[in-house]
């Protein structure tokens, strides 16, 4: 295999709005290609069918597939941030119109789950079990980290 695995998001008619938001927030991000439904398709002609895009130079795809499937927190996007300003920036923009959850998790207005975390978190969680437990206890008491 020479190409990377590409995650694909299934939206219910609002893929273009979501991808425009995501590519506007993250550096080194862009829409690569858009295909639209034609006549006789499941959605009206001209509606976005699929979008190939990059977030921080990583490939993704989004489709407008309809209401059959919903996003679940079982799969989430994780943004590792170097500073509190970065955490605040992504948290404020991605949670707008969505819902916040504990431990740095949020669901954006499109239903996609995100973890907005400090990049040092994995280091804080590694090591001895007592240290990891103390970190988790602190996280459970927070919404935005």
């Amino acid at each position: 295999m020479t190409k990377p695995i590409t995650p694909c998001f299934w939206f219910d008619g609002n893929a273009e709005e979501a991808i425009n938001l995501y590519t506007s927030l993250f550096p080194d991000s862009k829409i690569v290609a858009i295909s639209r439904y034609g006549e006789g398709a499941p959605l009206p002609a001209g509606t976005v069918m699929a979008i190939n895009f990059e977030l921080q130079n990583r490939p993704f795809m989004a489709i407008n597939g309809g209401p059959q499937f919903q996003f679940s927190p079982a799969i989430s996007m994780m943004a590792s941030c170097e500073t509190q300003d970065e955490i605040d920036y992504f948290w404020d923009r991605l949670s707008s119109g969505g819902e916040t959850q504990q431990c740095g998790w949020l669901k954006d207005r499109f239903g996609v789950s995100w973890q907005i975390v400090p990049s040092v978190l994995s280091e804080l969680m590694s090591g001895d079990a007592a240290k990891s437990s103390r970190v988790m206890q602190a996280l459970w008491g927070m919404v935005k980290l």
Side-chain angles (χ1 to χ4, degrees):
M1 263 174 35
T2 59
K3 300 233 179 210
I5 294 172
T6 302
C8 183
F9 294 85
W10 178 291
F11 289 92
D12 182 14
N14 55 3
E16 189 169 26
E17 181 184 357
I19 303 319
N20 282 333
L21 173 65
Y22 303 156
T23 56
S24 75
L25 294 179
F26 293 93
D28 301 316
S29 300
K30 65 183 178 181
I31 293 174
V32 175
I34 297 177
S35 59
R36 298 186 182 277
Y37 284 106
E39 295 298 327
L43 294 176
T47 302
V48 168
M49 178 173 58
I51 302 174
N52 291 63
F53 65 103
E54 293 178 1
L55 292 180
Q56 297 182 313
N57 295 316
R58 291 177 182 90
F60 291 86
M61 184 176 189
I63 61 172
N64 276 324
Q68 300 90 325
F69 302 108
Q70 303 294 311
F71 292 110
S72 160
I75 300 252
S76 63
M77 302 294 291
M78 187 168 74
S80 294
C81 302
E82 294 296 322
T83 67
Q84 186 65 48
D85 286 343
E86 283 184 351
I87 289 172
D88 295 344
Y89 172 84
F90 290 114
W91 184 269
D92 293 345
R93 284 152 184 83
L94 289 168
S95 67
S96 179
E99 60 185 65
T100 60
Q101 301 162 337
Q102 75 183 65
C103 298
W105 288 65
L106 63 87
K107 188 183 292 185
D108 69 22
R109 67 180 179 256
F110 309 105
V112 175
S113 291
W114 292 83
Q115 298 176 61
I116 311 300
V117 300
S119 57
V120 71
L121 184 60
S122 61
E123 180 183 324
L124 293 172
M125 294 295 295
S126 62
D128 66 68
K131 176 183 159 187
S132 294
S133 179
R134 288 191 306 274
V135 171
M136 282 309 302
Q137 289 297 322
L139 292 177
W140 285 331
M142 298 180 197
V143 177
K144 178 174 71 171
L145 304 182

